[in-house]
Amino acid sequence: MKKEIKNICCIGAGYVGGPTMAVIALKNPEIKVNIVDINDQRIQDWNDTNLDNLPIYEPGLAEVVEQTRGKNLFFSTDVDQGIRDADMIFISVNTPTKTYGKGKGQAADLKYIELCARQIARIAQRDKIVVEKSTLPVRTAEALSDILSNSESGFNFEILSNPEFLAEGTAIDDLLNPDRVLIGGDNTESGQIAKNTLSSIYEAWVPKERVLQTNVWSSELSKLTANAFLAQRISSINAMSALCEKTEADVDEIARAIGMDSRIGPKFLKSSVGFGGSCFQKDVLNLVYIAKSYGLDEVAEYWDQVIKLNDYQKRRFADRIIKESYNTVSGKKIAFFGWAFKKDTNDTRESAAIYVADHLLDEEAEIVVYDPKVSEERVYADLEYLNNHSSEYIRSRVKVVNNPFNAVDDAHAIAVLTEWDEFKDYNWGEIYSKVLKPANIFDGRNILDTETLVELGFNVYNIGK
Ligand code: UDX
Ligand code: UDX
């Protein structure tokens, strides 16, 4: 049995809520989808007639929005109205790492989630299915359920966990062809109906066998586990990269060799300057916190090492730039190619570039950043957020340019921080003529053609080679 859904509301028009709801709307034209957000500017940007101004950049997203917006997909700041009209509500607000109090630096801050639950309890005028889309610590559904069932409304709120596995940069593809969709809910009769109802929305385009139903706790913990395993693979290959640099092994050759073992598989073995993004660090830290809170210290330490190794990798990259610059970068111009945490996104949250830049700023370097999708103000905001240097200091030492060739004039070194495809196709001969000699390139993504660069006269420093 399932319920008929005519109206969906999603609270949170971010990197997760926006693309996910756009695809749900595309594939379910008979359902009206309202995305609501308290951030007025963000909603204005989603409603901008010029699709180049959407608040997030994802390949294929503008096309999906173009086909659905104003038909069955709507963006608004009227959260109350969205809640009132909805048969099903997705909660997709952010859950940052706590910056205060108990669990500071590790636990997920659930205040926005709780606010959403209270608002739903206050506004709803009939039964609703409430879906956790945000990645949450295990047993959050219980808190949601508590708040909703203790509301005075007397309506029934069925809570589901439906974590999102999309990766930024490939969000639309991942949503259209997911490996699996996970739906956790109670095994009661009404829980089962709610799970079937949500399943049917995805089954509009996802093969039935890829829609998994579990209990709520398994679903919540599966999401944290998936991100922890993925992050751990990167830290594992990055640990080997440090060893490769001391021996004559090549980390990309190792990745190829072990990736052909079908038990290991070839994906997520790309050694890098370190993983970034809004999820990996936050979710692993959250897992560490949860394990500790159950007294599982060994489990907590095990996962904590994934983060420590990632911090080490970022620092190691910055240290190498310093070391190869005759041990000082003071007053030297370092050109950064890329600021986003990966290619094909304008998202910079936890990007390795931020930490590498911060470390170089400690050493008084001058940094010139070029990224095809990241704005100047974003770069400054990211560095200021660390609270390590004053805004004046940052703005005097960091410049952001919108042409890569302007970044390299008289640069002492070029550092590749993001694996944007366009970097591979530049006229590197022309770049060579502009930089100071010796011409040093630090390829933090191992994407450039080292042989050609060496022929042109560059010294190329790779990760794990
Ligand atoms: C976020 C979390 O980072 C991730 O852990 C979770 O899995 C999904 O939600 P993302 O979509 O990338 O992912 O976050 P973000 O781009 O920050 O979007 C969240 C949106 O929620 C923001 O636009 C914010 O304005 C909005 N919001 C937040 C509300 O509308 N109401 C609130 O009370 C809080
Ligand atoms: C991740 C998960 O992949 C996704 O399932 C989840 O829903 C959210 O978190 P995302 O952070 O968007 O997605 O991107 P992802 O492709 O996983 O990359 C994360 C970071 O790891 C990036 O900084 C990327 O450059 C880095 N990375 C990835 C590597 O350094 N090496 C790799 O082999 C893969």
Side-chain angles (χ1 to χ4, degrees):
M1 263 231 314
K2 63 182 176 81
K3 282 194 171 169
E4 195 192 352
I5 299 292
K6 292 199 181 116
N7 186 301
I8 288 176
C9 170
C10 172
I11 310 179
Y15 284 87
V16 173
T20 310
M21 291 303 126
V23 168
I24 286 184
L26 179 74
K27 297 295 182 179
N28 293 274
E30 70 296 346
I31 300 179
K32 183 173 177 189
V33 180
N34 289 310
I35 309 187
V36 296
D37 199 297
I38 50 173
N39 182 335
D40 184 45
Q41 184 59 48
R42 219 173 209 188
I43 291 299
Q44 279 184 38
D45 292 344
W46 279 110
N47 282 325
D48 200 308
T49 41
N50 180 354
L51 290 165
D52 290 338
N53 295 338
L54 293 184
I56 67 180
Y57 171 72
E58 273 294 338
L61 174 64
E63 288 79 354
V64 178
V65 171
E66 185 172 28
Q67 287 178 65
T68 48
R69 198 176 58 185
K71 293 194 185 101
N72 67 326
L73 179 69
F74 300 89
F75 296 90
S76 155
T77 50
D78 194 345
V79 182
D80 286 0
Q81 189 64 39
I83 292 172
R84 219 174 280 129
D85 291 347
D87 307 308
M88 179 180 270
I89 300 168
F90 286 81
I91 303 184
S92 190
V93 298
N94 39 335
T95 50
T97 303
K98 272 187 90 173
T99 52
Y100 57 88
K102 192 161 180 276
K104 178 178 171 183
Q106 286 186 330
D109 191 340
L110 299 182
K111 82 176 160 213
Y112 301 127
I113 299 281
E114 190 182 326
L115 283 172
C116 285
R118 291 189 188 279
Q119 195 166 3
I120 294 169
R122 199 175 63 241
I123 302 292
Q125 294 167 344
R126 56 191 162 88
D127 295 354
K128 312 259 174 203
I129 297 173
V130 177
V131 186
E132 305 175 340
K133 197 67 178 161
S134 309
T135 305
L136 297 167
V138 207
R139 305 205 81 92
T140 305
E142 200 165 42
L144 280 180
S145 170
D146 247 19
I147 293 169
L148 290 167
S149 60
N150 283 315
S151 76
E152 281 157 22
S153 68
F155 299 117
N156 176 43
F157 299 100
E158 209 54 57
I159 317 284
L160 298 177
S161 155
N162 172 220
E164 187 45 66
F165 294 99
L166 68 82
E168 287 175 30
T170 52
I172 298 298
D173 247 10
D174 294 344
L175 285 163
L176 290 173
N177 304 298
D179 287 345
R180 75 331 206 161
V181 169
L182 185 56
I183 297 174
D186 284 346
N187 289 328
T188 56
E189 197 188 338
S190 57
Q192 194 53 54
I193 292 173
K195 283 193 267 190
N196 294 346
T197 305
L198 182 54
S199 296
S200 72
I201 290 170
Y202 285 105
E203 282 164 20
W205 79 97
V206 180
K208 208 178 170 72
E209 63 278 9
R210 292 208 199 152
V211 181
L212 303 186
Q213 295 189 356
T214 63
N215 75 36
V216 159
W217 325 123
S218 304
S219 169
E220 289 179 338
L221 192 52
S222 295
K223 170 70 194 205
L224 290 184
T225 309
N227 275 348
F229 270 53
L230 292 168
Q232 178 214 45
R233 259 174 93 93
I234 303 170
S235 279
S236 296
I237 198 74
N238 281 344
M240 299 318 293
S241 78
L243 196 51
C244 286
E245 286 166 30
K246 298 284 179 201
T247 58
E248 280 185 19
D250 174 327
V251 77
D252 286 337
E253 288 182 354
I254 290 182
R256 195 165 73 238
I258 65 167
M260 286 171 77
D261 186 323
S262 61
R263 294 168 302 176
I264 296 175
K267 294 183 182 167
F268 258 72
L269 287 178
K270 186 81 188 140
S271 188
S272 66
V273 53
F275 61 73
S278 71
C279 286
F280 282 173
Q281 170 156 313
K282 168 169 72 70
D283 290 352
V284 175
L285 286 175
N286 194 205
L287 192 58
V288 168
Y289 180 75
I290 293 170
K292 257 195 215 150
S293 69
Y294 286 107
L296 305 173
D297 290 346
E298 286 77 1
V299 177
E301 276 163 35
Y302 175 75
W303 289 110
D304 199 30
Q305 201 58 36
V306 170
I307 300 297
K308 286 192 178 141
L309 203 288
N310 196 49
D311 289 340
Y312 165 74
Q313 189 75 349
K314 294 181 270 190
R315 203 175 50 244
R316 222 165 61 77
F317 186 75
D319 284 343
R320 198 165 185 203
I321 295 177
I322 298 164
K323 176 168 167 272
E324 300 300 341
S325 307
Y326 311 107
N327 288 315
T328 175
V329 288
S330 178
K332 291 183 179 167
K333 179 170 162 183
I334 316 288
F336 269 40
F337 278 10
W339 189 264
F341 83 98
K342 62 185 284 196
K343 73 172 179 179
D344 292 340
T345 178
N346 61 345
D347 193 352
T348 64
R349 288 176 289 180
E350 293 300 328
S351 179
I354 304 170
Y355 296 91
V356 174
D358 187 60
H359 197 53
L360 295 176
L361 285 176
D362 289 342
E363 300 289 325
E364 302 182 344
E366 311 268 341
I367 298 172
V368 186
V369 179
Y370 166 72
D371 186 290
K373 290 286 174 197
V374 177
S375 71
E376 180 175 28
E377 280 314 308
R378 183 74 260 154
V379 172
Y380 290 138
D382 287 339
L383 288 168
E384 283 162 7
Y385 184 77
L386 295 181
N387 242 333
N388 202 12
H389 299 285
S390 73
S391 177
E392 297 71 47
Y393 180 83
I394 290 167
R395 282 164 196 264
S396 70
R397 301 224 162 236
V398 181
K399 296 278 167 281
V400 182
V401 295
N402 50 22
N403 180 325
F405 292 89
N406 294 346
V408 296
D409 267 329
D410 293 332
H412 284 81
I414 297 173
V416 176
L417 277 305
T418 312
E419 73 282 24
W420 288 101
D421 288 332
E422 64 174 66
F423 298 161
K424 297 183 226 171
D425 304 326
Y426 286 166
N427 181 342
W428 284 95
E430 187 184 339
I431 294 176
Y432 182 77
S433 69
K434 288 172 169 265
V435 297
L436 295 182
K437 316 293 176 314
N440 289 340
I441 295 188
F442 298 85
D443 185 354
R445 297 289 184 163
N446 289 350
I447 54 162
L448 301 178
D449 180 354
T450 307
E451 219 169 289
T452 310
L453 294 175
V454 169
E455 270 168 29
L456 287 169
F458 283 104
N459 298 321
V460 183
Y461 300 92
N462 286 103
I463 302 278
K465 290 178 196 256

